[in-house]
Structures are given as structure tokens and as C-alpha cells.
Amino acid sequence: MGVSACGGDGEAPVDVVLVGDRAAALSADGSGDAAEAALMAATREGLVDFDAEGRITPGLAESWIVTDDGLSYIFRLREMRDADGSAINARIIRRMLLAAMEQQAKTALGLDLRAVEAVYARTGRVIEIRLKSPFPEFLNLLAGPELSLQTGRRNPHVLVLDTDSSGEPFLLAPAGLEPADNPYAAVEPLEMRILPPREAVEFFQSGRASVLLNGNVDGLPFVRMGGLLRGTIRLDPVSGLFGLAVTRRDSGFLSDADNREAIAMAIDRDALIAPFNIGGWVPTTRLVPAGLPDSASAPQERWQGMSIAERQEVARRRVAGWTAPGEQIPGLTIALPSGRGGDLLFARLRNDFAAIGLTLTRAANPARADLHMVDEVAHVRMARWYLNRFHCGVSGAACSAEGDALVEQALAEPDATARAALMAQAEALIVAENGFIPFGTPIRFSLVRGSVEGFAVNGLGVHPLSQLALNPT
């Protein structure tokens, strides 16, 4: 297999350590845990999938075409049979796909999927997905683990999840298939551990794992950059959301959009990330990156031309001038990761809040915090992906129902220019609510020993376990 190395104590290390919540990952309950998503992607198939470089590859569909108007995606399924030998046809796959989409109905992904007008089984092996308007990266949605399908343990194109006598997970080839039909026939079981950020990094650095996946801002401070680990850290150039969601309040300090903007103005984003020592990290004050194909919004950052000192002075005056009957300026609570990365972020944010007259404490009950960290990689480079994450129906953050309605209106708009204008209007309304305080691009890293094959950094931060199991060809 592609994963191999020598352990620190003369023993072969496990193949992969995943940063995540072990219980959530093994429960497969759709918790959104990164380790769970990695396991789902390895044990199920979408119509299409991602390869190690984040490119779209065949999955259940062996080929596909997109019509010239960008509205129809037509997939030809490969021949498939279930454990009883019965054919798995397009009607069955359509039914499974619609069920998977329905499970996402009350999520941001469900909002993304509103672009789908209908799904048809055209013949025994052909499925057509018809869209309301063009969606250039629609295949990226279909390749996500949320829309992957379980077609049975005899599917030769996926791995099988099992656990050893101590309860540790591993992936192995499906049983009972002829080697010629099974690309994983010669693959040894892929041994894994699923650990919180600090424990995962320490597990790798002690020589007990060949690869660490799903590294984020909370685990990065534990990575030793020198010595034997020089060159093992791989940073993915991802896009997405990294910042604070401001909880929707009907009264008090946070019920005022200008007050929420004051907090956003006060944060020194360069200083915030400085303790992590990441070269090339890009701070931003924007919810939606500039230049996305479905938006005509202006490219400039917010508060352009103002220094951080000037921004903090404006914010300080706004905080000092806020009054409410019988109320004092409140202390605010924040929910952050519990590890070293969360501690570093909290120390910087507390200083920035103090500079404008606000106190900040870690929330005893994260579910009731005033501010929550958002840290999500975008698999779709479109404005609607960013705006849907703060839709009033799926987010608890301050939001704009009018902006949400414009995003929905844009879905049905046939003219590309008019559609982009609607999205720009929606963005302006949602940004004006200041329900999200962006820091910059998310941080995603892996730790990879030099002997490992089947790994590549990519802009989506996807690293299929199946690719690490196979020797590259």
C-alpha cells in the first residue's frame, strides 16, 4: 500500500491518524465531524468522487456529460449488482440519491441543493439531474461525503470499515470478490486512530503514524517544525469560512448591527494569526471572496484605508455611546476550540475586545455563547455557498431574510448578469447584518512522512483514504 514507514520504537506505525471525535466518527450519525466524513468517503460512493488532488473522478457513474446550457448533468452508471446478484439500476440510485438529498434539507448543503430542479432515471443505467440555473461546480457537491451512497458490502470500489479487538478502526477490501473485479484485492488493512488535535499531533510526532489528516488551527501549535519533522507538514491552500458567528439576539448589545460591526472592526487579523507562524495566510474582512463567478459585488475589503488603530477608535466610540434602558455594556462570551489553538485565538481576541471597552470570556456553555467560531472549507467556489451558511433558516447567527430571498430568486434567474446582480444585492444585505466576523482563510494541514505515496495538497483539502490504501499507478 502507499502508506508505510518505520516507527520510533522499531515497530511499524499505524497508517493514518485522523484528527476528530472518535465516538462521532464511528457512529456515522451525520455529526459533521471531519473524521466521520473521511470514513464515509472511503466506504461509500457518490455519482462522482474526489481523487487525491481534489479532482472529480468517476464513482457510481463511469461517465457523464453536461449540456451546453449548463442545466443538465447526464450520468451513465457502471454495471452494479447487490449481494444477491440483482442489478442496481438507475431507479434505485435515483431513489437513494433523493433520500440523501432529503436528509440535508435543513442544512446549508440543503440550500445549495435547491439548485436541483429534478432527478430523472432515463434508462436502466442513465440518470439526469436538471438544475434551475447553471452551477459550474455542481459536481463538487455530488462528490461530497454527504451525498455518497452505500450500495452494499460487496461493492468492489469502496473499502469496508471494521474494528479490531481493542475497538480501533481499520479499512479493508470487501470480501468474496474475484481479484480481477476488486482494485483493493492486494491492499493490506489500513490501520487508523481517531484522536483530538493535540493527541493526534503527538501520536504522529512520536513516530506512531505515517500520516496525519484533518489538521486545523487547534492542532497547529503542537507541530514541531524542525528536526526530524522538517518537510512533513503540508498546508492545503483552501478557501472557506474562518471567523466568528454572532448569535442572533432580539435585545441587548448584540441586537444592533452597528454594534456587531464594531466588534468586526476591532479585530487585528494579522496579529490574531501571528502566533501560528503561517506564511502566506490571507486575512480578510469579507464574507464572500472577491471575483466569484456568480456575484458582481465590488472587490474591495471593508473599511479600506483605515488603520487598525483608526478602526478600533471608531469601534470604541460606538461601544461607549451605546445605551439601553436599565442595561450596562455586557460582557460577551465566546465558544472556541478547547486546545492550544483556541487559547491563542482567545488571548488575542480578548485584547482586541478590551481595546474598545468590551470584556470577553470563554463560554461555560458553548451552546449559549454570544460568539461561535466557524471553520469550514468551501468545496464550491461560488457566492451562494458562502451566503447559504448564514441563511436565517439554518444558522443561529444574525441574518437577513431579505438577503436570503434574493439568493433564492437568483436560482431561478436565467440571465447570468441579472443573476450575479441579485447575488451582489443579497451579499450586501447579509454582510450589513454583521452576523459573521471573518478572520481569513481556514487553516488545514496534514503531516506526511517522506515514504508515503498517494497524498497531494489541494485547494479543497480532500485526502481520500482510498488513495492512501492503493499503490499509485
Side-chain angles (χ1 to χ4, degrees):
M1 70 177 56
V3 178
S4 63
C6 295
D9 298 322
E11 297 181 0
V14 301
D15 299 304
V16 178
V17 56
L18 298 173
V19 177
D21 183 313
R22 185 179 182 280
L26 296 181
S27 69
D29 61 358
S31 65
D33 181 79
E36 179 190 20
L39 295 177
M40 289 174 62
T43 57
R44 305 180 188 182
E45 273 189 293
L47 285 176
V48 292
D49 291 315
F50 291 119
D51 70 6
E53 297 182 5
R55 298 172 301 195
I56 295 295
T57 61
L60 298 169
E62 62 184 11
S63 62
W64 58 89
I65 61 172
V66 184
T67 55
D68 290 343
D69 60 8
L71 295 179
S72 282
Y73 287 68
I74 301 170
F75 302 88
R76 180 173 178 80
L77 304 176
R78 69 169 188 267
E79 291 188 3
M80 294 176 281
R81 295 190 178 276
D82 61 21
D84 298 326
S86 301
I88 299 176
N89 59 30
R91 290 193 304 275
I92 294 171
I93 295 300
R94 173 185 178 272
R95 185 170 64 249
M96 295 172 67
L97 179 61
L98 289 174
M101 293 171 64
E102 179 62 27
Q103 287 183 341
Q104 301 299 319
K106 296 182 180 180
T107 70
L109 175 57
L111 295 174
D112 300 335
L113 291 169
R114 287 185 181 178
V116 175
E117 183 175 82
V119 181
Y120 303 101
R122 293 302 190 189
T123 70
R125 291 178 58 190
V126 175
I127 283 180
E128 178 185 2
I129 300 179
R130 184 74 178 173
L131 304 184
K132 297 174 183 176
S133 60
F135 195 146
E137 296 192 354
F138 179 66
L139 291 176
N140 285 23
L141 289 188
L142 293 180
E146 300 88 350
L147 297 184
S148 60
L149 308 178
Q150 179 59 265
T151 55
R153 290 176 65 90
R154 287 177 54 83
N155 181 350
H157 295 264
V158 299
L159 295 166
V160 176
L161 178 65
D162 208 336
T163 55
D164 63 21
S165 58
S166 62
E168 298 297 346
F170 63 93
L171 293 166
L172 69 163
L177 298 173
E178 294 296 327
D181 298 327
N182 183 2
Y184 298 104
V187 168
E188 295 294 327
L190 193 77
E191 298 178 80
M192 295 177 293
R193 296 291 186 273
I194 303 171
L195 297 169
R198 178 174 184 168
E199 289 87 337
V201 171
E202 291 176 348
F203 192 90
F204 177 91
Q205 291 183 153
S206 67
R208 290 181 286 170
S210 298
V211 177
L212 177 148
L213 299 178
N214 304 337
N216 58 23
V217 68
D218 212 27
L220 189 60
F222 299 108
V223 178
R224 299 191 303 269
M225 299 297 186
L228 293 176
L229 290 185
R230 185 175 294 113
T232 62
I233 188 165
R234 312 286 180 87
L235 290 165
D236 286 308
V238 298
S239 301
L241 295 167
F242 178 42
L244 298 176
V246 185
T247 302
R248 191 156 61 237
R249 302 294 191 204
D250 294 327
S251 61
F253 182 80
L254 290 180
S255 67
D256 188 303
D258 288 340
N259 291 342
R260 299 192 292 268
E261 183 187 30
I263 297 173
M265 295 177 74
I267 295 173
D268 186 339
R269 288 157 176 80
D270 289 314
L272 182 70
I273 215 68
F276 296 90
N277 192 30
I278 302 174
W281 182 78
V282 181
T284 188
T285 57
R286 297 177 58 96
L287 165 59
V288 178
L292 296 185
D294 61 334
S295 176
S297 63
Q300 66 265 21
E301 294 285 323
R302 301 181 74 186
W303 318 300
Q304 214 163 18
M306 296 178 67
S307 68
I308 183 61
E310 290 170 333
R311 296 203 324 248
Q312 288 184 344
E313 177 57 24
V314 171
R316 187 194 63 77
R317 290 199 301 267
R318 196 173 293 178
V319 170
W322 180 79
T323 58
E327 292 189 33
Q328 296 180 336
I329 296 175
L332 300 179
T333 59
I334 187 169
L336 290 169
S338 58
R340 178 63 176 158
D343 293 344
L344 291 171
L345 290 175
F346 176 69
R348 287 300 320 172
L349 291 168
R350 182 174 55 186
N351 288 343
D352 289 338
F353 279 49
I356 63 170
L358 294 173
T359 60
L360 185 67
T361 58
R362 300 285 279 268
N365 181 356
R368 301 185 65 180
D370 296 311
L371 306 162
H372 295 83
M373 194 172 87
V374 177
D375 185 9
E376 185 176 356
V377 172
H379 286 178
V380 176
R381 290 176 287 267
M382 298 188 72
R384 72 176 68 169
W385 184 92
Y386 292 84
L387 300 181
N388 280 342
R389 269 73 202 151
F390 297 96
H391 187 285
C392 296
V394 302
S395 170
C399 62
S400 169
E402 186 180 356
D404 295 341
L406 287 172
V407 174
E408 187 75 16
Q409 184 180 340
L411 280 178
E413 174 53 59
D415 181 75
T417 301
R419 188 165 59 248
L422 286 168
M423 292 297 290
Q425 293 174 46
E427 179 184 343
L429 290 169
I430 294 170
V431 167
E433 289 296 324
N434 294 292
F436 178 64
I437 299 172
F439 297 158
T441 53
I443 296 166
R444 291 293 184 274
F445 72 91
S446 303
L447 300 176
V448 184
R449 301 196 186 279
S451 59
V452 170
E453 300 173 316
F455 176 92
V457 298
N458 59 78
L460 300 180
V462 294
H463 304 292
L465 294 170
S466 58
Q467 298 298 302
L468 293 172
L470 289 169
N471 280 314
T473 58

